Amino acid sequence: MLRVTTITIILLSVQMLFAQKTIEETLEDTYRPVKKNLRIKVEDTLGNNGFLPVSIVKGKKEGPTFTIVAGVHGFEYPPIIATQQLMQEINIDSLNGTLVFIPIASRGSFYNRTPFKNPEDGVNLNGAFPGNKDGSITQRTASIITKHIIPVSDVFLDIHCGDAPEDLLPFICYYNNKSKPEQTQRAKELSETSGFQYVVSYPYTISHEEPAKYMFKQAVQDGKTALSIESGKLGNVQEEAVVLIKKGVYNMLVEMKMYGKRVEPTKAPIRLNDQVYIKSNKQGIFYSSYNAGDTVQKGAIVGHATDEFGVLIEEYKASKTGIILYMLATPPINKGDTVMCLSSFNPENE
C-alpha cells in the first residue's frame, strides 16, 4: 500500500510538472495556425483540486503575445462573458501573433458564486501575487500565472468590473511606473486607443522586492506592458459592458497590428490620475443618492449609514471634487469598506 501511494504521488507530481510546461511548449512550437485549450492542474495539501483553463491561439503569422485574463473575481461576469465571446469570434487565419486567454482565473470563486475570495481557501486571488507554489490552491494559481503566463506575455490585460455590491463607471487603467518608461508609455497608448472614454492612471509606488498583490501590478513589476479594463457592475451581465470590453480588446489588437480593423473611430479620452478613497468607520446600512459617473464637490455629503434601528451612525463627505469611479451600491456596509473612489486629473501626477 505504501509503495502504491508513493508511486501515485510521483505520478501526480510528474503530471503537474508536465502540465505547467505545456504552456511554454505550446508557445515554442513553430506550427501555425493552431489553437490549444489547456487545463493546468492545480491542487493543494488542503484537499482542493482544480485547474487553470488556458487557451493559446497562434495566428498564421508570428507577432506579439497578448494575454487576456478574466474571472480573477468569480462574481465579475461581464469580463468572463466577453472573454468567452472573444475566444469564439477571433479568426485564427486573420491573427498575427499569439493570444493567451485565461477565461476564468478563480474557478472556485466563480462556481461557488462568491465575490472577492475563493471559498476553497478563503484567499482573494487579486491579492495573492506573486503567489506561492507550495501554498493553498489560490496561492498556487497566482504562482502559475506569475511563473508561466506573465513571462511569455508582451502585453498583459487584466479584465475586471464592479463586483456584486459595486456600481462602476467603465474605464481602462494602467500604472504610471516611471522606472519602466517604455512599458508605461505603451500601456498609455493602448489605453488611449481602446475606445474607453475614461483612461485612469495609478501611481506605482512599490519596490521590486515588495509583493505586487494585484495581478496586473505583478506584470508591471515584472517589466511587462500591462493594463486593466473595468466594465460592468453589481453581479449582473450587462450586454453594453460586454460590448465595451470586446471593443477595447479589438481596438488594442488593431493598434498592435495583430488583428482586423478598428471597430470605430476613437474619441479623445478623458484622463484621470488622482484617486482618493472614502472609507467606512462603522458597520451598518448604507444609503446614497449618487451613482458611479456623478461629479461631486469637495465637502458634499455623498452618503450615510444607519444602525439596524435606522439611527444615523455615520455620514460620508467628499474629500475632494471629482468623478465617482466606483462606489458601494448595496445596503450592507462594514468597517473599512470603500464607500466610493473619487478621481480627477492632476498635472503634477504626470
Side-chain angles (χ1 to χ4, degrees):
M1 179 65 72
L2 180 61
R3 183 171 180 273
V4 172
T5 302
T6 303
I7 292 172
T8 301
I9 291 172
I10 292 171
L11 286 173
L12 285 173
S13 298
V14 171
Q15 289 171 357
M16 180 73 169
L17 182 62
F18 176 78
Q20 291 183 7
K21 283 186 176 179
T22 58
I23 298 171
E24 289 86 355
E25 288 174 351
T26 302
L27 289 168
E28 290 169 4
D29 190 336
T30 58
Y31 183 77
R32 290 177 175 273
V34 67
K35 177 178 181 179
K36 287 195 175 182
N37 295 330
L38 310 175
R39 289 178 171 85
I40 309 302
K41 187 174 179 63
V42 191
E43 58 184 11
D44 62 21
T45 57
L46 301 174
N48 297 308
N49 296 280
F51 63 88
L52 180 68
V54 180
S55 182
I56 298 176
V57 184
K58 300 171 72 174
K60 268 190 173 182
K61 297 180 181 179
E62 293 186 0
T65 297
F66 191 111
T67 295
I68 299 168
V69 185
V72 168
H73 292 139
F75 228 101
E76 297 181 358
Y77 299 136
I80 294 169
I81 299 305
T83 303
Q84 295 289 320
Q85 293 182 10
L86 285 166
M87 288 191 296
Q88 300 304 314
E89 290 175 6
I90 294 289
N91 181 351
I92 193 170
D93 292 328
S94 301
L95 176 66
N96 299 323
T98 301
L99 295 174
V100 178
F101 292 99
I102 300 179
I104 307 175
S106 183
R107 292 177 66 254
S109 172
F110 176 75
Y111 286 111
N112 285 284
R113 300 186 179 93
T114 57
F116 310 120
K117 295 181 179 180
N118 179 359
E120 295 173 324
D121 58 2
V123 177
N124 183 342
L125 179 57
N126 208 35
F129 285 83
N132 180 354
K133 66 180 180 63
D134 299 315
S136 66
I137 190 167
T138 302
Q139 293 166 334
R140 294 187 187 208
T141 298
S143 178
I144 290 171
I145 293 171
T146 299
K147 293 180 178 179
H148 298 278
I149 303 294
I150 292 175
V152 301
S153 307
D154 294 305
V155 174
F156 189 92
L157 175 64
D158 181 13
I159 310 178
H160 287 265
C161 70
D163 221 304
E166 296 170 342
D167 186 16
L168 178 136
L169 177 70
F171 63 94
I172 189 167
C173 59
Y174 64 94
Y175 281 102
N176 185 12
N177 183 2
K178 295 183 179 180
S179 66
K180 303 282 187 182
E182 184 179 337
Q183 290 87 339
T184 299
Q185 178 61 25
R186 190 57 173 149
K188 178 176 180 289
E189 291 169 353
L190 290 171
S191 296
E192 291 180 342
T193 59
S194 67
F196 275 81
Q197 182 179 10
Y198 293 94
V199 172
V200 180
S201 64
Y202 292 99
Y204 184 84
T205 58
I206 64 171
S207 69
H208 193 72
E209 291 73 29
E210 293 178 79
K213 294 185 179 179
Y214 308 130
M215 184 170 67
F216 98 96
K217 197 172 189 178
Q218 181 68 52
V220 172
Q221 189 178 60
D222 292 346
K224 301 296 180 179
T225 295
L227 56 165
S228 181
I229 283 174
E230 295 273 0
S231 180
K233 57 188 178 182
L234 292 168
N236 291 303
V237 179
Q238 298 91 22
E239 181 60 27
E240 63 272 19
V242 172
V243 170
L244 193 56
I245 291 168
K246 289 166 55 181
K247 182 177 78 170
V249 171
Y250 281 127
N251 281 338
M252 285 187 278
L253 292 177
V254 171
E255 172 66 20
M256 295 178 66
K257 297 180 173 56
M258 290 182 66
Y259 192 81
K261 298 180 180 179
R262 197 170 301 283
V263 176
E264 61 184 52
T266 57
K267 300 177 182 178
I270 298 171
R271 300 198 56 236
L272 303 169
N273 64 6
D274 188 23
Q275 287 70 243
V276 298
Y277 305 89
I278 302 172
K279 297 283 187 177
S280 169
N281 296 305
K282 304 280 187 179
Q283 184 181 66
I285 301 169
F286 175 66
Y287 297 86
S288 178
S289 60
Y290 286 89
N291 297 299
D294 289 344
T295 297
V296 298
Q297 300 299 314
K298 181 178 180 179
I301 296 174
V302 294
H304 69 273
T306 71
D307 65 13
E308 292 81 356
F309 300 101
V311 177
L312 179 70
I313 57 174
E314 188 171 27
E315 288 185 329
Y316 308 106
K317 292 184 178 181
S319 56
K320 63 177 286 184
T321 297
I323 191 168
I324 302 173
L325 273 189
Y326 53 87
M327 62 174 287
L328 186 66
T330 54
I333 191 168
N334 291 288
K335 183 177 180 180
D337 281 355
T338 296
V339 177
M340 61 179 58
C341 171
L342 301 179
S343 187
S344 61
F345 181 79
N346 184 346
E348 294 181 0
N349 291 344
E350 288 296 280

